[in-house]
Amino acid sequence: MFLKKAQVKNFIRNVAVYPIYGVLFCLLTSFSASSETATEVDLRVNKSRATVKTFAGKLVKELKQALEEGGPVKAIKVCNIEAPQIAGELSEQHKLRIGRTSLKIRNPNNEADAWEQAVLQQFEQRKLQGEDIATLEYFEETEKGFRYMKAIPTKGLCLACHGEALSESVKTTLTEYYPNDKATGFKTGDIRGAFTLIQKD
Ligand code: HEC
């Protein structure tokens, strides 16, 4: 009788209780695994956002300074040298690759690859659906690494060199520096392009 009771208890423990622990264990480990990945993604997104903010800040500062000193023609020459240089310095400093791209590029080195083109088109779609372009961003883990993009809105300040009506001197300078320039004809509120960033480690 006693033995039988013990056997029943053992049976209950083995068949009914342990599996519950098993299920709980699985749930807990899968929860912690997913929260760990979420944190990792959060870190990457935060780093991307911070680097983009620094990059954007430096570019606008250089642009405004050059415009004040010598107008758009001078600023084109400054942009031509400074923009790639700042991107290179930040990339090295933060151990990632940052740049700018667009569906209509000025500098051929900024040409979008297939992934970037798809994201830029996605941004245009989201804009059409009413999203605020100032906050449009997209990120994804890809085989090239963690990739992040953030849309760049066209503002009044941009129109002297990217707008519909350019001065003759701006046109001439742009043709000299960028014979295949496609980055004109934009209006305020258009998506001019996007910051693009890859993190590998
Ligand atoms: C003084 C002229 C000038 C003004 C004003 C200007 N840009 Fe540009 N922009 C340039 C030049 C020159 C380049 C090419 C830089 C290079 O060689 O990398 C460029 C490149 C870019 C690119 C990189 C993609 C591409 O087409 O090669 C983006 C994005 C961009 N500009 C956005 C803006 C935005 C947004 C503003 C307004 C806040 C702005 N620009 C104002 C001259 C200007």
Side-chain angles (χ1 to χ4, degrees):
M1 187 67 177
F2 178 74
L3 257 181
K4 260 193 179 172
K5 247 189 183 171
Q7 275 172 341
V8 171
K9 266 191 192 164
N10 271 337
F11 177 80
I12 290 172
R13 184 179 296 154
N14 290 338
V15 175
V17 180
Y18 285 161
I20 291 175
Y21 285 140
V23 169
L24 273 178
F25 180 73
C26 285
L27 279 175
L28 285 173
T29 48
S30 67
F31 271 134
S32 70
S34 66
S35 69
E36 204 171 80
T37 343
T39 318
E40 206 176 287
V41 170
D42 286 348
L43 285 173
R44 289 196 182 282
V45 171
N46 288 342
K47 185 174 177 180
S48 305
R49 285 182 183 147
T51 317
V52 160
K53 206 172 169 191
T54 310
F55 188 30
K58 281 178 189 268
L59 286 172
V60 169
K61 190 170 161 243
E62 290 291 336
L63 178 65
K64 284 188 173 162
Q65 203 174 315
L67 283 170
E68 267 172 35
E69 281 170 14
V73 169
K74 163 94 190 290
I76 291 168
K77 296 172 186 173
V78 171
C79 242
N80 172 260
I81 296 169
E82 293 291 333
Q85 194 170 315
I86 296 169
E89 281 165 12
L90 280 175
S91 298
E92 206 168 305
Q93 191 182 335
H94 296 286
K95 296 190 174 59
L96 43 77
R97 217 170 74 219
I98 192 167
R100 293 180 302 168
T101 189
S102 174
L103 291 171
K104 284 165 72 182
I105 45 165
R106 174 152 293 166
N107 185 332
N109 294 336
N110 295 333
E111 189 167 9
D113 68 14
W115 187 86
E116 288 166 328
Q117 279 198 19
V119 176
L120 286 163
Q121 274 151 8
Q122 180 217 100
F123 284 170
E124 294 292 346
Q125 284 304 314
R126 286 165 62 187
K127 176 181 177 251
L128 284 178
Q129 285 157 11
E131 265 192 68
D132 179 0
I133 61 169
T135 52
L136 275 181
E137 61 175 359
Y138 181 77
F139 50 85
E140 190 180 319
E141 192 65 62
T142 72
E143 53 189 24
K144 281 191 175 174
F146 178 86
R147 301 191 73 169
Y148 172 92
M149 281 176 78
K150 182 171 184 3
I152 306 175
T154 308
K155 298 188 176 151
L157 173 68
C158 321
L159 300 180
C161 304
H162 295 295
E164 293 176 304
L166 307 180
S167 73
E168 283 309 313
S169 57
V170 164
K171 274 191 209 162
T172 314
T173 317
L174 285 176
T175 316
E176 185 189 329
Y177 281 80
Y178 306 96
N180 297 314
D181 184 21
K182 297 189 190 74
T184 57
F186 287 90
K187 295 186 292 292
T188 312
D190 285 344
I191 298 175
R192 170 58 192 93
F195 293 104
T196 179
L197 198 146
I198 303 184
Q199 291 179 48
K200 279 186 183 147
D201 46 33

